[in-house]
Amino acid sequence: MASSSFTLSPSPKLLHNNRIFHSQNQNPFVFLNSSQSFSLKPHFSFTFTHRSVSPSRTFFSPFTCLAKNSEPSVAVVTPSKREERVVVLVIGGGGREHALCSALKRSSSCDSVFCAPGNVGISSSGDATCIPDLDVFDSEAVISFCRKWGVGLVVVGPEAPLVAGLSNELVKAGIPTFGPSSEAAALEGSKNFMKNLCDKYRIPTAKYKTFTDPSAAKKYIQEQGAPIVVKADGLAAGKGVIVAMTLEEAYEAVDSMLIENVFGTAGCQIVVEEFLEGEEASFFALVDGENAIPLESAQDHKRVGDGDTGPNTGGMGAYSPAPILTKELQSVVMESIILPTVKGMSAEGCKFVGVLYAGLMIEKKSGLPKLIEYNVRFGDPECQVLMVRLESDLAQVLLAACRGELTGVTLNWSPGSAMVVVMASKGYPGSYEKGTVIRNLEEAEQVAPSVKIFHAGTALDSDGNFIATGGRVLGVTAKGKDLEEARDRAYQAVEEINWPGGFYRRDIGWRALPQKQFASQG
C-alpha cells in the first residue's frame, strides 16, 4: 500500500451560482462545463490510498478528506472494494461518442465522463463534461489531461486519431486505452492491408486487385465487367466507396481518385473488387488482443434515399437486433472472420485491442457471410442502438478488453429492439447549408421514456438555439418491445422536431419490416 497526498482547490463543495455541485454517486468527481466558473473556498487536503497492480491498473480505496482549518471533516462514501472506480475520457465529438458517453454515464463504476472535443448536445444533456480545447491529435496534451484529472480509461471513438497513433502513446504512458494501435488500425486505414490479411488467413471476402495506375485499373475493370466496386485505399470519411453499376461509372471513379485526387492521399491507391449481391449487415466484436466477444447484431442503411437508393453515406439509420444475423450466422462470422482476424493480427505482431466492426455481405446465393470491410471503432449510427440496449457496465467491460481479460466476460442486453433515425442537412452527402435552426428537441425526447436524441453536428447560436453544423446532425433513437414499436416511437419523435433545413429516410428497418407502412411523406 502507498499513500499520495494532493492539495486541491476548489474544496469538495464547488459553488456555481450559489448551487453546490456533487457527482451523482457522491464521489468527489465533479462534472464541469468549460464555460462555467466556480467560487473557490478553503483549502482541503485529499489523501488517496492506493495500490499499484501494474502501470495500467490503479485501485483507489478508501477515500479520505480532511479539512486544514476548523471546519468539520467531510464524510465521503467509500466504494465497494470489489468495484473499481474509474474516470473516463471519450475521444471524439459525434453521435457515436454521444452514445458512448451516455452508456458510460450509466455505468455504476464510472465516477465521471469527459469528452474531447465533444459537442453541445453532449454537454447540454449532462452525459459528459466536454473539453472542446483539448487537441486529440496532440498525444502529450491528452496524456497531461489524463494525469491531471485521474483518467483511468480512454475510449477513442473516431478512426483518425487511432490511425495517427494516439493509442500507442497513451498505452506507452500507462493509460488504459480502448482502441487499437496505429499498426492495428491499418485494418481500416488501408483496404489493401485488410485484403492482404484476408488472403493470408483465408478470411472470406470479395475478389479484388489493387492499383495505382489508372490505365491498369480500367483494363481490369473491363475484364471483370460491371457492376463492380471501386474503393479509395485510405480513410475518406465514409465516402471513398463507389458501387459502379456500369463500366463508365467505374472508369469515372478511377479517374476521380487516381487522376483528380478527390480524396487526396486516401485515393492515391485504389482497390477494385467484385460486386457482391445480398444483404448487408454490421457485426461488432470486442477484442483484447487474443480473445473476442460478439456484441448484439445491428444493421444500418448506407444509401441516402428511401428503398436504399442514391449515393452512399456514413449511415442514415440503424436497428438492433438484425434478423438477418441469426445466432447460427453470428457463430459462422466469429469462427470464419473475426477470430481468424484477431489471431492473424497477433501473428503479424500488431495485436488488436478495441472493437472490430465488420461490414458484411450475406450472399444471396450461398447465404454465407463475406467481409466487405473492417472499421476499427464503433459504427455510427449502429453504436447508438447498441448503447441504448447495453445493460452491462460498459466501463468495466472496456477495461477488461484493455487488460486482455475478456475471457469469461458476458454482456447483458435489454430485450426488444432499438432504432435510430438519422436527421441530416438537406444536400448531404453533397454540399449542404450550415447554421439552420433546429427546434423542439425537448418535446421530441418526451414522446416516450425510451427516446434519446444523440447529437452529431450541432452548435448553439447567439440566441441559444440549436443549429446544424454538419451533414449528419441528429440520431433520434428509441427502444421498444419489438422493432415495430421502436420504429413507431423513433418516427414520432422525429416528426416532433421542427427543422426545415433537415431531412431523413422514412423507411429505416424496411428489410426487417417489409410489410409495414412507414412514416408518411410530409
Side-chain angles (χ1 to χ4, degrees), residues 56-124:
S56 64
R57 295 183 72 175
T58 303
F59 293 79
F60 293 93
S61 177
F63 191 100
T64 309
C65 174
L66 299 173
K68 278 189 174 180
N69 56 19
S70 58
E71 288 190 16
S73 62
V74 179
V76 181
V77 177
T78 303
S80 165
K81 290 183 180 179
R82 289 182 295 178
E83 185 179 66
E84 178 183 357
R85 313 301 305 171
V86 65
V87 177
V88 185
L89 169 63
V90 175
I91 300 293
R96 166 185 49 226
E97 289 75 36
H98 192 174
L100 289 168
C101 289
S102 178
L104 286 163
K105 184 188 173 187
R106 298 197 311 269
S107 296
S108 62
S109 68
C110 194
D111 275 316
S112 56
V113 185
F114 293 103
C115 188
N119 63 49
V120 297
I122 295 173
S123 57
S124 65

Side-chain angles (χ1 to χ4, degrees), residues 303 305-309 505 507 510:
R303 301 282 189 151
D306 290 356
D308 289 338
T309 57
R505 277 185 60 164
D507 65 344
W510 72 272

Side-chain angles (χ1 to χ4, degrees), residues 19-330:
R19 293 172 60 201
I20 298 176
F21 282 74
H22 296 283
S23 68
Q24 59 183 359
N25 51 24
Q26 299 302 311
N27 280 296
F29 293 94
V30 182
F31 293 87
L32 308 179
N33 202 315
S34 58
S35 64
Q36 294 174 346
S37 60
F38 294 85
S39 62
L40 309 183
K41 298 296 181 184
H43 253 52
F44 282 80
S45 172
F46 288 80
T47 300
F48 294 81
T49 304
H50 65 273
R51 59 183 177 89
S52 296
V53 179
S54 72
S56 64
R57 295 183 72 175
T58 303
F59 293 79
F60 293 93
S61 177
F63 191 100
T64 309
C65 174
L66 299 173
K68 278 189 174 180
N69 56 19
S70 58
E71 288 190 16
S73 62
V74 179
V76 181
V77 177
T78 303
S80 165
K81 290 183 180 179
R82 289 182 295 178
E83 185 179 66
E84 178 183 357
R85 313 301 305 171
V86 65
V87 177
V88 185
L89 169 63
V90 175
I91 300 293
R96 166 185 49 226
E97 289 75 36
H98 192 174
L100 289 168
C101 289
S102 178
L104 286 163
K105 184 188 173 187
R106 298 197 311 269
S107 296
S108 62
S109 68
C110 194
D111 275 316
S112 56
V113 185
F114 293 103
C115 188
N119 63 49
V120 297
I122 295 173
S123 57
S124 65
S125 66
D127 288 325
T129 302
C130 292
I131 316 296
D133 298 329
L134 181 59
D135 182 357
V136 299
F137 290 96
D138 182 346
S139 57
E140 286 303 314
V142 176
I143 291 167
S144 176
F145 179 88
C146 291
R147 287 177 173 158
K148 177 179 179 181
W149 292 99
V151 171
L153 171 64
V154 176
V155 181
V156 186
E159 63 275 17
L162 293 169
V163 173
L166 178 60
S167 289
N168 301 55
E169 298 303 317
L170 289 168
V171 171
K172 196 185 301 180
I175 300 168
T177 304
F178 184 79
S181 65
S182 58
E183 296 81 7
L187 276 174
E188 179 172 359
S190 170
K191 294 177 179 62
N192 184 56
F193 175 89
M194 184 272 285
K195 287 288 194 178
N196 287 338
L197 190 85
C198 289
D199 278 352
K200 187 170 182 178
Y201 294 96
R202 299 182 179 179
I203 299 164
T205 188
K207 185 175 74 171
Y208 77 102
K209 233 177 171 182
T210 304
F211 298 94
T212 55
D213 175 51
S215 298
K218 290 176 183 178
K219 183 180 178 183
Y220 177 77
I221 289 169
Q222 188 175 30
E223 292 169 356
Q224 299 302 309
I228 199 163
V229 182
V230 182
K231 297 180 176 180
D233 179 59
L235 299 176
K239 299 175 184 175
V241 177
I242 306 296
V243 180
M245 301 310 292
T246 65
L247 290 177
E248 289 69 28
E249 287 179 6
Y251 297 154
E252 288 175 10
V254 170
D255 288 341
S256 69
M257 294 180 195
L258 293 181
I259 297 176
E260 299 164 19
N261 295 315
V262 294
F263 298 121
T265 56
C268 291
Q269 180 171 262
I270 63 172
V271 172
V272 179
E273 65 180 36
E274 70 172 314
F275 174 82
L276 298 176
E277 188 176 3
E279 188 169 344
E280 289 191 46
S282 303
F283 190 94
F284 299 86
L286 302 182
V287 183
D288 68 4
E290 297 287 352
N291 310 290
I293 59 172
L295 299 182
E296 263 285 15
S297 63
Q299 188 166 16
D300 75 339
H301 296 64
K302 288 293 185 192
R303 301 282 189 151
V304 72
D306 290 356
D308 289 338
T309 57
N312 274 333
T313 70
M316 294 299 294
Y319 55 92
S320 173
I324 185 71
L325 278 170
T326 63
K327 293 300 180 185
E328 294 76 17
L329 201 52
Q330 290 181 55

